[in-house]
Amino acid sequence: MAIFFTLVEDFRRDRRKRQAVFLTEWFVKGNIPKDLKDEGFLTEINISSKQVKEYGARAEGAVNAVGRTFIDKAKNHGGGVKGLLDALKQKKSGNTQISGEIFDDMQIYVIGMLNENRAADFKLDHDYMPNGKYAGKIAKLRMALKDAGFDPNGLGIY
């Protein structure tokens, strides 16, 4: 839960579509690779199936509304030559980021769960050393984070 919280904070700064897809797929829908789930290294957020659908649909809707690819953006603008021109205008204006608020409800839920689990002592500005048995998993997590547009070094995941 603390990793999800930290990643959402980083997402709010960059608001990249692939970051939103990563957070949705891994933590909302629970599609974390099996080797990273083993031994409790990472887990999806414990939410109801109704919440999975709600939070997942919200994030996917936000990504799809902006468009994942340039072709998607052109289709969102009506297609054809006009759609291509409008998509170019959108790209030039830099208006291709999604809202930084799409994970707000879920993050509030996670904060509540952290407090219930007596993790209120967790401080974002402190150093924490994971168990040595997770060394290989941390390297895999770092690669996945880089692929999703996060900066593991900036997040302090070494």
Side-chain angles (χ1 to χ4, degrees), residues 34-52:
K34 183 176 176 9
D35 61 333
L36 293 177
K37 281 180 106 172
D38 289 344
E39 301 170 16
F41 179 68
L42 281 181
T43 61
E44 66 272 10
I45 304 303
N46 185 16
I47 55 177
S48 70
S49 60
K50 179 183 175 189
Q51 289 172 311
V52 168

Side-chain angles (χ1 to χ4, degrees), residues 144-156:
L145 291 174
K146 283 182 184 178
D147 289 344
F150 291 101
D151 177 16
N153 291 332
L155 293 168

Side-chain angles (χ1 to χ4, degrees), residues 79-148:
V81 175
K82 182 188 179 315
L84 287 172
L85 294 175
D86 288 345
L88 280 171
K89 286 179 191 174
Q90 178 185 8
K91 186 173 180 172
K92 284 190 174 198
S93 72
N95 190 17
T96 59
Q97 291 181 321
I98 58 178
S99 169
E101 300 171 357
I102 61 174
F103 295 106
D104 283 359
D105 292 344
M106 187 156 183
Q107 192 177 37
I108 290 168
Y109 181 80
V110 165
I111 290 169
M113 289 176 61
L114 283 170
N115 287 336
E116 285 176 15
N117 292 327
R118 311 235 354 114
D121 297 334
F122 178 76
K123 310 244 184 302
L124 286 174
D125 60 348
H126 286 128
D127 294 334
Y128 293 92
M129 181 68 72
N131 189 314
K133 70 180 181 182
Y134 295 133
K137 295 178 187 303
I138 290 172
K140 290 178 184 178
L141 174 63
R142 286 177 50 82
M143 284 294 248
L145 291 174
K146 283 182 184 178
D147 289 344

